[in-house]
Amino acid sequence: MAQDWVERLLADGVVGEDQVAEARDYAARKGISLEDSLANLGYASAGEIGQAKAGETGTDFMDLASMKIPPSVVELVPESVARENIVMPVALDDSGALQVAMHDPMAFEVLDKLRFIINREVRPIVASKETILGCIGRHYGQGQAESVDSLIQEFTETAIDFTETEVSAKGLAADDENSPIIKLCNLIITEAVSMRTSDIHVEPFEDRVRIRYRIDGELIERDSPPKRLLGALISRFKIMGNIDISEKRRPQDGRIKTRVNGKDFDLRVSILPTAHGQAIVMRILDRDNIKVGIRNLGFSEENYRRFQNVIRRPNGIFLVTGPTGSGKTTTLYSALGELNRPDRKIITAEDPVEYYLPGINQVEVRHSIGLDFSRIIRAMLRQAPNVILVGEIRDTETAEMAIQASLTGHLVFSTLHTNDAPASITRLIDMGVQPFLVASSITAVMAQRLVRVICPKCKESFRPDPSELEPLGLTPEQLETANWSRGKGCQHCQHTGYRGRKAVFELMMMNSAIRDMAFRSEPAQNIRRQARLFGMKSLYEDALDKAVLGVTTIPEAMHLFTGH
């Protein structure tokens, strides 16, 4: 009975047998449910799975994304019970029974527990887990966004003074959860996580402190706390990250481990002294971000096939290139996850280790004791690995060590900072690596960027103006089959029209012609021309393909390359 909803998805044509089989395998490997596996791989949305479950169990399906529930109903179920069991009271029906939203209507033990606690009949309705969690956050926390705003408002209207003194820092170290500053810091992190933020920026200016969240690559400004709170905010975040609170002149780094809504998160903390005080940036590392699976990264069928061929080679170097924040780490970790089997030994050298992967030996660079990339590579070769990941090629020595590793029978993954794939060849040669070594060791180079994906809740078709399409250089076939879409904006996407991101790729496979050009140190534009002749799609073309398919919008694809 528990899997009947899968049969309904198959019958409705939402998924195919092969997709279900792949999802089952993925779920077994990652230790997650089949429901989460189908959603992570992008084969079925949470809403489609919820409707299938509702149909099989004869219950109603409800979208809670923008629903307002009366406080008198919310109060019937304690917050701890709602959060622990992921349930949300929705309404009282005419008979006095409480309608409760659940993602699994067959969880009879949860229904029995609720009936015992509230002493009345409970009627389940089905909703997706994501919307239930969002609803719990909005209604039980009075809305996390409102809580942060009201706390900042309280500080603005009162004259509480938190100066940057050792006394206040010692007070914060006592970790009194009722302290206003501790509440504010915890709420900032909780709100940022619930809004799918990748970075929290706390920046001091002459008369205020600016707090911004980076969501899907775009910075969103929050309310500004008074400038007098800066010292207390920085001290609290430093204490959370085990950073020296007395040091105010030098840049500092640390790591915060925290738990939000029952999930563990790591925050990578960077502190920089500026003219108006210390600025802090916290990168939120969510382990679920690297469990997306190669299928869900955004590859076209052709690039997916080529990528699978590259990562299954016994040796050679595979480079992923792009600016900071373009998803290189996620791509490489997804590849390692695919290769992580008991018969393979994988070692990584990273600066720093962002995500901890079970079954993989991860080594962190520590410059203070001379443990740099080249030294780690030299040592790891004596550990007899099959696959090596070098976090970044920054200098000639690291590049040459990685090449030597690939030539001695190891598969090497690494990253490089260049604008496109062909430029990586010339960059390595410019760094001082011998052209014949570059030509013989590299098997493929992949450049990537991230584009925002249209929100599935408010996605709509539309017909763009012909003048907008004219400069894009699309073929008649593309224009004829295009599925132009955009997001109207809704609560699910914070009225931006976008939710989540996918990568666009430029995958250059090495062949004899390109190896000859690398050997002769020819310029990047010549290598690019040759790669295009052998079928390489540019980043721009891949982004346009995603706009044509209705995955993203024309402005978003253009913004990637024009910057506006």
Side-chain angles (χ1 to χ4, degrees), residues 155-227:
F155 281 127
T156 307
E157 291 173 352
T158 58
I160 302 170
D161 187 21
F162 289 93
T163 50
E164 200 165 354
T165 63
E166 297 306 315
V167 176
S168 68
K170 284 173 186 169
L172 290 172
D175 207 18
D176 176 9
E177 289 301 325
N178 294 319
S179 157
I181 279 293
I182 290 176
K183 269 190 193 171
L184 178 59
C185 290
N186 291 345
L187 279 171
I188 286 170
I189 292 172
T190 304
E191 178 187 70
V193 167
S194 67
M195 293 173 71
R196 301 177 302 104
T197 301
S198 60
D199 303 274
I200 303 169
H201 297 251
V202 181
E203 304 158 312
F205 294 97
E206 191 171 359
D207 56 350
R208 68 185 180 116
V209 178
R210 181 169 70 179
I211 296 178
R212 296 191 290 176
Y213 300 157
R214 190 179 292 280
I215 302 170
D216 291 336
E218 302 289 317
L219 280 168
I220 309 292
E221 189 164 346
R222 294 292 292 115
D223 274 8
S224 299
K227 179 66 184 286

Side-chain angles (χ1 to χ4, degrees), residues 12 18 85 104 168 268 318 343 518:
D12 292 345
D18 291 347
N85 299 285
D104 181 7
S168 68
R268 205 172 79 204
F318 174 49
D343 61 335

Side-chain angles (χ1 to χ4, degrees), residues 24 38 52 55 66 75 82 117 127 131 140 182 192 200 205 225 256 258 309 353-354 372 384 438 511 529 532 550 553:
R24 287 190 199 279
L38 284 166
S66 56
E75 288 166 5
I117 290 169
T131 58
Y140 282 102
I182 290 176
I200 303 169
F205 294 97
I256 295 173
T258 187
N309 288 339
V353 173
E354 288 194 3
D372 53 20
V438 175
N511 55 42
R529 204 175 301 119
R532 295 296 300 278
T553 61

Side-chain angles (χ1 to χ4, degrees), residues 336-337 339-341 344-348 359-362 385-389:
L336 290 184
L339 298 175
N340 190 11
R341 298 283 185 278
R344 287 194 187 94
K345 174 144 183 168
I346 302 173
I347 308 182
T348 74
I360 292 176
N361 302 274
Q362 294 171 274
N386 301 102
V387 182
I388 292 170
L389 168 66

Side-chain angles (χ1 to χ4, degrees), residues 490-533:
C490 64
Q491 191 168 348
H492 189 59
C493 60
Q494 277 119 32
H495 301 283
T496 61
Y498 300 98
R499 186 178 170 93
R501 291 189 290 177
K502 272 195 165 34
V504 293
F505 300 101
E506 179 178 273
L507 181 53
M508 183 180 81
M509 306 292 291
M510 294 293 279
N511 55 42
S512 55
I514 295 174
R515 290 188 197 284
D516 285 344
M517 295 174 90
F519 185 73
R520 295 195 301 271
S521 302
E522 292 204 22
Q525 59 265 32
N526 292 5
I527 296 174
R528 166 171 283 280
R529 204 175 301 119
Q530 187 66 41
R532 295 296 300 278
L533 288 174

Side-chain angles (χ1 to χ4, degrees), residues 25 45 147 152 271 308-309 364 529:
D25 179 54
S45 68
S147 298
I152 288 175
I271 296 170
Q308 287 285 2
N309 288 339
E364 188 157 316
R529 204 175 301 119

Side-chain angles (χ1 to χ4, degrees), residues 13 31 36 57 73 79 96 214 219 225 245 309 369 373 385 393 430 434 441 447 453 465 501 528 542 555:
D36 290 340
T57 54
V73 173
E79 179 180 355
R214 190 179 292 280
L219 280 168
I245 57 174
N309 288 339
I369 58 170
F373 279 121
I393 292 179
D430 290 343
Q434 293 294 331
S441 60
V453 173
D465 191 273
R501 291 189 290 177
R528 166 171 283 280
D542 200 30

